């Protein structure tokens, strides 16, 4: 192998390594796989909240980061906020729930 080919090979190897590190998860940023998992959890939590008769008309936002679900928005009664938290906690993949729901 010539020196030129060795340099080209080393360059592409380094380029591949840099691109792999760019996809890695950190404490404040998710990797690609973690992002997809959280998107699935968010969708499932939203669906379960919507399917709950007492919460159907509530204005609840759902965000997920590394399996931790954060609920925010507004409900009419305190029991509705607790129910939303319980529903979210029951979804597979949810590690914990932060309930920031406010009363109207």
């Amino acid at each position: 192998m010539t020196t030129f080919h060795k340099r080209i090979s080393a360059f592409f190897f380094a380029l591949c390594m840099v691109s792999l590190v760019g996809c890695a998860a950190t404490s404040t940023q998710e990797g690609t796989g973690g992002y997809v998992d959280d998107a699935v959890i968010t969708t499932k939590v939203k669906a379960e909240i919507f399917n709950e008769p007492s919460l159907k008309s509530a204005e609840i936002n759902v965000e997920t980061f590394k399996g931790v679900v954060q609920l925010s928005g507004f409900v009419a009664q305190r029991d509705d906020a607790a129910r939303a938290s319980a529903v979210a906690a029951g979804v597979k993949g949810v590690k914990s729930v932060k309930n920031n729901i406010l009363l109207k």
Side-chain angles (χ1 to χ4, degrees):
M1 193 184 267
T2 66
T3 305
F4 176 73
H5 286 107
K6 287 181 182 178
R7 287 184 181 172
I8 293 294
S9 296
F11 171 76
F12 282 112
F13 178 75
L15 185 63
C16 287
M17 294 308 291
V18 167
S19 67
L20 287 175
V21 170
C23 293
T26 65
S27 62
T28 58
Q29 182 178 0
E30 288 183 297
T32 306
Y35 177 78
V36 171
D37 292 344
D38 284 345
V40 170
I41 291 170
T42 298
T43 301
K44 287 181 179 180
V45 170
K46 285 180 179 181
E48 290 297 320
I49 287 174
F50 183 76
N51 289 332
E52 185 67 29
S54 65
L55 301 175
K56 228 175 217 189
S57 64
E59 301 168 22
I60 300 174
N61 301 310
V62 180
E63 293 183 31
T64 309
F65 182 71
K66 294 188 176 185
V68 177
V69 173
Q70 180 175 351
L71 303 175
S72 60
F74 300 95
V75 293
Q77 300 174 6
R78 186 173 308 278
D79 290 343
D80 291 342
R83 182 69 190 139
S85 188
V87 167
V91 172
K92 184 179 177 183
V94 173
K95 295 179 181 175
S96 66
V97 178
K98 293 181 180 179
N99 191 337
N100 296 329
I101 297 175
L102 302 173
L103 296 177
K104 280 187 179 179

